Structures are given as structure tokens and as C-alpha cells.
Amino acid sequence: MINRVPVALLSCGSFNPITNMHMRMFELARDHLHQTGLYNVIKGIISPVNDRYGKEGLVAAKHRVAMIQRALETSDWITLEPWESQQEQWVETVMVLRHHYNALFHQCQAMSGTSLESTKTLKQKYNVDSPNAQSVLQAMLQEMTEEASSTLRAQSHDSSTHVASAKTYTLVGPDSQLDRVTGIEEHITATVVEVVPRLKLLCGADVLKTFDIPNLWKHEHIEEIVQKFGLVCISRGDVDLQKFIDESNILFKHRRNIHVVREWVVNDISATHIRRALRKGHSVKYLLPESVIDYIQQHNMYTA
Amino acid sequence: KSLLRHACKPVMEEASCRTEVVLLACGSFNPITNMHLRMFELARDYLHETGKYTVIKGIISPVGDGYKKKGLIEAEYRLAMVKMATESSDWVTLSSWESQQEEWVETAKVLRYHYENLENLSNNEKKNATHRKKAKKRKIEEKNETSLVAKDAPKLMLLCGADVVESFSIPNLWKKEDIEEIVGRFGVVCISRLGSSVEKCIYESDIIWKFRTNVHLVTEWITNDISATKVRRALRRGQSVKYVIPDSVTEYIQKHSLYDPCSEDKNANVILAPFQRYAK
């Protein structure tokens, strides 16, 4: 896990309701990126769309948010971010990406600020001139990271400690130049930018193909999404997805930033199908988390 | 519980006109997946909607180790996983009888065994009902009179995927008499996804064609193609199977380190039990 690029995955959509397929996308994407050897996926973010998106049959955000919370009870790395759904109006995907990237950046900055202050105190605590400089250093960095983690937890409402872990990887790797204790301050500042996770948009092949639809996306937005952020796209082995990417100038240009993930479980559990099944009074057990099914029944949702 | 969950359950007055059904699923369950569990839900919804049946029970009967399928891990583990997976179900249960037999048991035999059980249960109930009737004074307009009238044993049907029905045509895998008994005497509920060739299979087999009204084809509109083979492959490769099999089953697999390249090699050079038995 040394020197892997930390990544956070953002999934936008209606989540009307959230299904096992939505959750699977995160798992598939994480496995795929980890197995390239280049990335370390530290966080997943679900951002349900604003009510003002105006999609037919879209139930109130408060319900969609509640169902997502229940679905995420058993996940230790995926979180819910209701920011988008709480805005006054519908928010373009690129703005959601920007917002969450900034949030991640500030979290990292705050953490490093804490670390810089701690270094001074810690230097006094640990005898940095001792012959065991290396192990002293490790202990010091360990303490710093733990402190940074708890600061991060206190600050962020989604209590992610993964950003702190990513930082540890960068600082405590064997090939970091850490034998000179005096260099720590500079090292910390320099690594903030490295350590902010790359935020990538996680989506299905169907979303990618909508880039073609006239007037649905702004051209500059598509460019920013694929260039600045990047895409992780779950496909069912559509042969034409690759073709679609090749035939689009903008996508082809940034193809290295587009990760196509093959879905080995052919899984068509779309929310549309779920709603249709529910209208018919059919069972949806094992297609959504049990807690979400309970919620739907309690609130009499998605009935005919 | 709200009405929604039981939207498909027939109302009390209708229930007595419907045939009671018990669904039996045989297979490796190596491991059990959400797809296996879905089959029961789909079958139940389908049968209820015909207006003719009410499904009262589901039975999962994992095959014995003697089946000698490649990659088949010990029955004790497969049973434990099924037990965990069915904990959240109020009508589907595990049966360990088949896996506890010394040798591999043909599917028709498993059906016969469970049918006998159901018959015995129903006979005992009939005896009890008679005693109760004699002991009780006759009341006019008894609301739940139907519960005093003992019912016949429910219909036992085999629940399976298209692959099983399609395998009926594989030489030396099934005895012809067994196929006849399974479709003729018991009945089959076959779950298949769009585009499967199971109808063609039925058409091309004289035996199945003869009893085609006893073979219920249920289309799985919400494709959920979770083969246990793929699950095992994912586990070997350290890939996530979350939301594909129940969490409790995943934990069990990790705790006991099941499903590695070694386990997949089990029975690699061994002939499958039916082939051994029939190809003589």
C-alpha cells in the first residue's frame, strides 16, 4: 500500500430508492482500483439529487436520505453527504464534485496544521538526538497521526479516519526521507496536496452515454469532470462502451482518467425495477438492504 | 407488519380454495447467495398470483459431499451458511437430511422423503382435528372452522433455475423415471431470466412436454445473475461479495477461510456421482 494515490469515489443520482446495485458499484470500483496497484480507495460518498431535479416519481429527499443512512449502516467506508439535496435548487454534477473536493482538501489542511503544531511539542517530548532516531521518529509520527485523526473525527461529521491513514502511508513509507527530523515540517506541508484524495465520479455506463445527449451536459463541465476529476464507470461488458469512449474526442483525450470496470455479477437491480415490483406488491427481499425495505413499508412508499 | 409485505398473500376466505404448496430447492449452495434466496421470493409471488396456490413453506436442501462436485466444500460449512442466510426469512428453512445420508441421494428421492414428512404431518393433524371435533361442542358459525377441517398434505414442488431443467437432457445425469416423477408427480417451478432457452428445452423433451402444465416458468425480470462459481472466484481473488451474499455468510467464510484455490480443486479428478452410478 506504499505510495498509492488515495482516491475518494462520489456517486450522484436519485437513489429512489437505494438498492444493492448502487452499493455494489462502490465495491466493484474499489476492488478494480486496488487491483491496479496504483490506488488506495479510502472513501465512498453518496450524494442524492435535489428534489428540484424534477424527476417523475422522485420521493422527498428526506426519505431518500433516510433510506441511504439505513443502507450504509453495514458499510465502514461509504458515507452519505446530503449537501446536494439540501441546496435551494438543483446542483450540476460538476459543482457537487467541486464542493466535495474542497471539503476533502480542507480536512487535509486542517489535519496538517494540527500536525505542524504538534511537531514542536513532540520534539521536546522525544529525544531526537538519540541513536535510535528512526524508531523515535516512527513513534513520533504515530502520535502525530493519532492526534490528527482525532482532530479530523471531531471536525468532520462523517468521522472518516481514512484520510489520516493515507497520510501515514505517505509519511511513514520506507522511501520517505525521514532520517532528518528537522525536515518534518517541510515534509508535512508538501505532502498535504499529495495526500488529498483524488475525487472520482462513480457511475454506470448509462450515465457516461448521456454525455452525448444534446443540452443535457455543458461541454465545459464534461471536460472538467474527466480532466480534473476522472470517472470510474461500471459496465456490463457493453462492447460499445469502449467504442463510445473512443469515438468521443473529449473522452478519448482523457481516457487515462476513465476507468471502465467490468461487472462480474450481472445485476440489473435498477431503482425503476424496484419501484415497479413494489407497485405490483412483489417481494424485493435480497435486492435492497432489509432495513430499507422496512422503511419503505413503514412509510407506505412506492405503492400503486 | 404493514399490508405491503403481504400484498401477495391471499386473504383468509380465499385461502381454503387454494392448493397449499411447499417449495424444495436442491443444489450445492456452495455458497448460498442472494440469488438462491431470491428464487424463493419470485416463486412465491408467481404462484400466489395464479390464484390457485398458496406457498406455505420453503426448504433448502444442500447436496451431500458424496455428490463429488469439483470445488464442493464440506456439508457442515454449507449447512451453516444456509442456516445463517435464512435467519431473516420467516418461511424458508434449511433441511440437512439429504447431506447427512451416506451416499449421494437422487433428487426424486429427496422429494419423496420430504413429501412423506408432509403427509405424516398432515395425517397427525387430521387425527388431532378429529379428536378436537369430538371433544368440542358444535358451535354455530364458528369463524375458524377451516382450521378444524384438516387439510390434505400440501403439494411439494421442486424449485430450480433454468440450468437444472436444461440439464435433464444431459446423458446419464438423470434417470428417465426420475425426471418423469419430478415433473409428473411433483411439479417444477423454474426461475429463468429473459432470453433463456428453457421453453425450447421443454418443447424438445417428450417427458417434460407431457407434463408441461406441471412446469411453471417464472421470469426473473430483475436480473440478478449471481452464480456461486463467480462468488467463489471473487473470494479467491480477494474481491468484495458484499450485497451479493448475506454479510453473515461472508463473515463465516472469512472466519473459516473457506474457498481458496485449494478448495476449488477438491474432487478435481473424481467422477460426479450420477455419472458413476448411471453410466454402467
Side-chain angles (χ1 to χ4, degrees), chain A residues 3 28 46 55 70 138 169 172 197 205 237 264 270 276-277 303:
Chain A
N3 291 334
L28 287 163
I46 293 185
K55 200 165 174 186
R70 282 164 178 241
Q138 299 280 12
Y169 294 142
V172 190
W264 56 267
S270 74
R276 188 180 297 128
T303 50

Side-chain angles (χ1 to χ4, degrees), chain A residues 181-193:
Chain A
V181 174
T182 47
I184 281 187
E185 290 93 333
E186 293 88 23
H187 198 83
I188 289 170
T189 321
T191 52
V192 170
V193 173

Side-chain angles (χ1 to χ4, degrees), chain B residues 11-27:
Chain B
V11 285
M12 248 324 267
E13 297 91 69
E14 280 179 38
S16 50
C17 311
R18 292 175 175 243
T19 307
E20 288 190 333
V21 170
V22 172
L23 296 167
L24 171 74
C26 298

